[in-house]
Amino acid sequence: MSADLHLVHLYPDLLRTYGDRGNIVALQKRAEWRGFAVEITSVSRGDAVPTDASLILIGGGSDRVQEIIGPDILARGPELANAASHGVVVLGVCGGYQLLGHEYVAADGTAIQGLGLLDVTTGTGRGRIIGRVNARAQIDGRTFDLVGFENHGGRTRLGSGATTLAVVPKGQGNNGVDRTEGAVQGSFFGTYLHGPVLPANPELADALLERALAKRLDGEPLKPLDDSLEEAAHRESRHRRR
Ligand code: GLN
């Protein structure tokens, strides 16, 4: 029997900035604590993406690593688009977010082509955007606080096909100018937030889980968990921003 939730981690060997793998662990635990059976598959260059994936995570990395992954991830475009059209959630963090977009032109002028599955384009600006972020996110009618740490040279702009994941009244987010952070388009999610982002943002983790487990939940909401530790981590991160 296949698992209730199949988490697929793309390029865990290369895209793994600031413990992005913690996102997989957070999703795994939050599903298991509610009694769901979870399977995790790591997919590196040349490996096949399992056909029964529920959620695919693409972490962050350096410009050089993004260049290395480029040809492999581009070949996966149709497969990822097809999976997302069947409700598979795809989360890209930082470098992974940029790769889901149309293009990333790095500071040295190197253009790294993206998948174009998220209507966002990334260029650069002066210096890197580094620091803690306190944001306010909106997904599927829920609004909640989002905290994390960002470190990127890229400046991302949303096209009309994507909506912003969060607003950053004080932080820098996508580009340091328009006070947006991340993007959402159908089943595709992008964020600049590391930390990793999901352990300290249980509401974001559950919003993604509810989508990834939609068939199993059959319209029922996820059972609440005791999130006191997660909430303490969240508060600590918010506090450090100040
Ligand atoms: N290389 C990208 C940038 O600097 C992404 C960095 C990251 O994933 N942290 O913009």
Side-chain angles (χ1 to χ4, degrees):
M1 201 188 83
S2 70
D4 299 309
L5 181 75
H6 194 165
L7 301 171
V8 174
H9 192 176
L10 265 188
Y11 316 113
D13 49 338
L14 292 166
L15 292 175
R16 53 181 192 171
T17 301
Y18 305 119
D20 285 336
R21 183 175 170 77
N23 294 317
I24 293 285
V25 179
L27 293 166
Q28 174 197 1
K29 289 298 174 192
R30 298 187 71 77
E32 286 178 352
W33 288 331
R34 290 161 162 133
F36 294 102
V38 180
E39 185 177 348
I40 299 172
T41 302
S42 294
V43 172
S44 291
R45 284 177 296 165
D47 299 341
V49 172
T51 51
D52 64 346
S54 328
L55 183 146
I56 299 170
L57 170 75
I58 314 171
S62 66
D63 295 356
R64 177 76 192 116
V65 163
Q66 284 174 246
E67 248 186 285
I68 292 169
I69 284 161
D72 188 274
I73 201 166
L74 286 185
R76 299 181 190 275
E79 204 181 350
L80 292 178
N82 181 50
S85 74
H86 290 94
V88 177
V89 176
V90 181
L91 172 64
V93 179
C94 202
Y97 170 30
Q98 295 169 350
L99 285 166
L100 286 174
H102 299 290
E103 186 185 46
Y104 168 38
V105 182
D108 67 357
T110 308
I112 302 168
Q113 199 191 327
L115 291 159
L117 296 169
L118 261 178
D119 186 13
V120 304
T121 306
T122 304
T124 36
R126 192 187 292 194
R128 296 185 68 79
I129 290 178
I130 305 172
R132 291 193 172 267
V133 181
N134 289 346
R136 189 91 184 131
Q138 199 173 13
I139 299 180
D140 297 337
R142 307 177 198 192
T143 307
F144 51 89
D145 288 336
L146 201 57
V147 293
F149 177 78
E150 61 181 338
N151 180 353
H152 51 104
R155 305 295 200 271
T156 300
R157 300 265 174 191
L158 272 59
S160 58
T163 54
T164 180
L165 171 66
V167 290
V168 277
K170 286 185 186 155
Q172 305 236 47
N174 280 325
N175 49 58
V177 177
D178 65 11
R179 304 214 175 281
T180 66
E181 156 23 55
V184 183
Q185 188 168 342
S187 291
F188 291 99
F189 291 82
T191 178
Y192 268 115
L193 300 186
H194 293 284
V197 66
L198 297 183
N201 291 289
E203 286 173 288
L204 177 59
D206 281 356
L208 300 179
L209 267 185
E210 224 159 66
R211 286 208 188 191
L213 284 165
K215 288 190 192 117
R216 294 289 197 275
L217 288 169
D218 201 18
E220 291 294 312
L222 284 168
K223 278 189 246 144
L225 295 173
D226 172 4
D227 278 332
S228 39
L229 281 176
E230 290 79 358
E231 282 160 10
H234 184 101
R235 275 197 305 275
E236 173 67 14
S237 184
R238 279 193 86 72
H239 177 70
R240 284 199 197 173
R241 171 68 179 77
R242 280 187 242 117

